[in-house]
Amino acid sequence: MASVYVAEKPDHVPSERVVDVDIYAPPGQAENYHDAWAKVQADNPPLVWTPQNEGHWIALGGDVLAEVQSDWERFSNRVIVLPKSIGELHGLIPTTIDPPEHRPYRKLLNENLKPSAVRGLQGRVREVAIDLIESFRADGHCNFTEEYARIFPIRIFLAMVDLPESDAPKIRLWAESMTRPEPEIPFDEARQAFFDYLDPIIRSRREKPAEDMLSAMLSADMGGRRLDHEEALALSTQVLIAGVDTVVNFLGFVMLELARNPEARDALRENPGGMLAATNELFRRFGLVTIAREVREDIEFHGMSLKKGEMVAIPTVIHGIDPSSNPEPEVLDFKRSRSRHSTFGSGPHMCPGQELARSEVAITLEEWLQRIPDFEVAPDSDLTCRPGIVGSINRLCLQWSTK
């Protein structure tokens, strides 16, 4: 995922649509990830081409992005990571297969992450949130990134799949190596590390199923058959990656905003019963995942000629901050009638874990604001944003009065 993969402009791409942007590090992203994308969007047409990462299109209009993301008949999920030469190594399911083949796998995830299942987890989610907050509340300070965000969602998710919390550091390392440019471990080695780790676990759960998500997926009826071993490895790896990375980084952006915005804190505190609804505005404002789609056949799309096999990047942040989709998008408005965004995707590949993510964020805010109503950014923070498929802040530290 490094920008050294620079391509020549194809003849069918108009010169005025060429923008030299690395989707994993747009100009200014180190200082402010969302402002950087807002500037790229404001300065360019809704569909552009970049020579970076082997050359590809970028959807910069909210509606254009949503269309690419949803229309699997024209834009395939076969490759979702850029550059394409690395994305073709991905091969995880169901994210890299299209309807109708992906539907049985998606059904497995939906069954385990449906709203009723998530409601059954809320007591455990709240228990973990309270435990973590109380561990540092009396100190008047915390490294939010390390003491809360990097622990909270993975503790919940590892409990769901019945894996030991002591495995969290290596699982997080492998996941980050598959979502960051210049990773500590090469992409294909991180993927193999997941497979090697999961292989004996899957074999054991198949022989002796337990009351956990992995066991449920392995024993589920797939139209008269069960997941085979390779399918189970690919699906379980995708589940672990999704469970340990996105919520971690989303919480960092949300708490940074709330630390700087007392009006937003007040608005959330004054309407605790509406916290779950309020999270939609937060997810609208702080989209953070950049993935891609592959053009299935030569097509005309929003005035441009797209060729079979070309890639279209879809930085999901774009939809939520597009002024044509959401008036005054930089403003957090918890009374906004409809927050339009693509943070959880759209169409057949819409994120199956969105209900869990919403619940985790809502409960975090409820319990945090009840115990630490006013707080600010601490000086030992490093608010530099790291490049990658998932946007993130290096280190957010918070402080508050204990009087």
Side-chain angles (χ1 to χ4, degrees):
M1 289 174 287
S3 58
V4 295
Y5 301 94
V6 179
E8 295 291 328
K9 181 187 80 68
D11 291 341
H12 65 280
V13 175
S15 297
E16 65 270 18
R17 290 298 180 105
V18 177
V19 179
D20 193 1
V21 171
D22 179 354
I23 55 169
Y24 299 124
Q29 72 89 33
E31 291 75 32
N32 190 307
Y33 175 83
H34 296 89
D35 283 359
W37 272 115
K39 186 174 191 313
V40 172
Q41 182 183 61
D43 292 347
N44 293 288
L47 185 64
V48 299
W49 187 90
T50 177
Q52 299 297 326
N53 295 296
E54 296 178 352
H56 58 85
W57 297 93
I58 312 174
L60 291 179
D63 290 341
V64 176
L65 184 146
E67 189 175 353
V68 173
Q69 190 167 232
S70 302
D71 189 352
W72 61 270
E73 293 181 303
R74 289 189 292 171
F75 301 98
S76 173
N77 264 61
R78 189 185 76 87
V79 179
I80 61 169
V81 172
L82 292 170
K84 188 174 182 179
S85 60
I86 290 179
E88 289 183 320
L89 302 174
H90 197 275
L92 302 181
I93 57 177
T95 52
T96 60
I97 52 178
D98 296 304
E101 290 81 7
H102 100 299
R103 288 172 185 154
Y105 306 104
R106 178 57 189 256
K107 183 179 179 181
L108 291 184
L109 295 177
N110 288 347
E111 283 298 310
N112 287 276
L113 294 167
K114 59 188 177 183
S116 60
V118 171
R119 284 194 293 272
L121 291 169
Q122 287 182 347
R124 174 59 177 160
V125 173
R126 195 171 300 278
E127 179 183 296
V128 173
I130 293 171
D131 180 57
L132 291 174
I133 296 168
E134 288 297 334
S135 72
F136 50 67
R137 179 166 69 136
D139 299 336
H141 176 279
C142 76
N143 179 333
F144 180 79
T145 304
E146 294 296 331
E147 295 179 69
Y148 191 92
R150 287 173 69 88
I151 299 173
F152 172 66
I154 196 169
R155 181 185 288 185
I156 294 163
F157 207 81
L158 289 180
M160 290 175 62
V161 294
D162 193 22
L163 294 175
E165 288 186 25
S166 59
D167 288 349
K170 60 185 179 184
I171 291 173
R172 186 182 295 115
L173 170 63
W174 301 332
E176 290 183 349
S177 294
M178 294 180 70
T179 58
R180 303 278 165 217
E182 301 178 6
E184 187 170 334
I185 300 172
F187 185 98
D188 54 341
E189 291 183 20
R191 180 178 180 272
Q192 188 59 49
F194 266 121
F195 282 17
D196 292 343
Y197 169 76
L198 286 165
D199 181 88
I201 294 168
I202 288 171
R203 293 183 189 279
S204 175
R205 302 282 172 89
R206 201 183 292 278
E207 291 178 6
K208 296 180 180 180
E211 298 295 322
D212 66 276
M213 184 174 174
L214 288 182
S215 294
M217 291 193 302
L218 292 169
S219 60
D221 181 5
M222 294 273 293
R225 70 178 186 90
R226 300 286 188 265
L227 286 173
D228 67 31
H229 193 64
E230 293 304 314
E231 289 173 322
L233 286 173
L235 182 60
S236 299
T237 296
Q238 181 61 66
V239 164
L240 287 180
I241 292 172
V244 305
D245 199 31
T246 50
V247 173
V248 171
N249 296 307
F250 179 76
L251 282 171
F253 286 118
V254 167
M255 295 302 283
L256 174 60
E257 173 66 20
L258 295 181
R260 292 169 165 173
N261 189 340
E263 292 81 9
R265 296 199 303 269
D266 290 344
L268 289 172
R269 277 198 305 271
E270 289 167 6
N271 187 28
M275 194 69 78
L276 192 60
T279 64
N280 193 46
E281 173 70 351
L282 294 169
F283 281 112
R284 189 277 305 170
R285 179 65 180 85
F286 298 111
L288 72 170
V289 178
T290 299
I291 51 176
R293 297 289 188 267
E294 181 182 40
V295 180
R296 286 182 177 272
E297 303 290 343
D298 292 0
I299 58 172
E300 292 296 313
F301 185 68
H302 288 267
M304 294 292 105
S305 295
L306 276 58
K307 302 300 183 182
K308 179 179 179 179
E310 289 186 329
M311 300 300 299
V312 185
I314 44 177
T316 58
V317 56
I318 287 297
H319 194 181
I321 62 174
D322 186 344
S324 66
S325 298
N326 296 287
E328 296 184 287
E330 73 284 356
V331 176
L332 271 181
D333 179 4
F334 297 116
K335 295 181 180 179
R336 194 182 294 267
S337 60
R338 184 185 176 203
S339 295
R340 298 182 62 206
H341 64 86
S342 293
T343 300
F344 294 115
S346 55
H349 284 279
M350 196 163 189
C351 176
Q354 64 173 296
E355 294 300 330
L356 178 59
R358 293 179 194 277
S359 184
E360 288 176 336
V361 173
I363 288 172
T364 289
L365 296 178
E366 287 170 359
E367 299 301 336
W368 185 285
L369 292 172
Q370 179 181 331
R371 290 165 172 77
I372 308 173
D374 293 300
F375 53 95
E376 61 186 8
V377 177
D380 51 335
S381 296
D382 174 4
L383 302 182
T384 304
C385 296
R386 289 187 293 160
I389 292 173
V390 181
S392 66
I393 298 166
N394 274 332
R395 183 178 65 253
L396 173 63
C397 297
L398 301 172
Q399 62 187 19
W400 55 90
S401 173
T402 59
K403 296 180 181 178

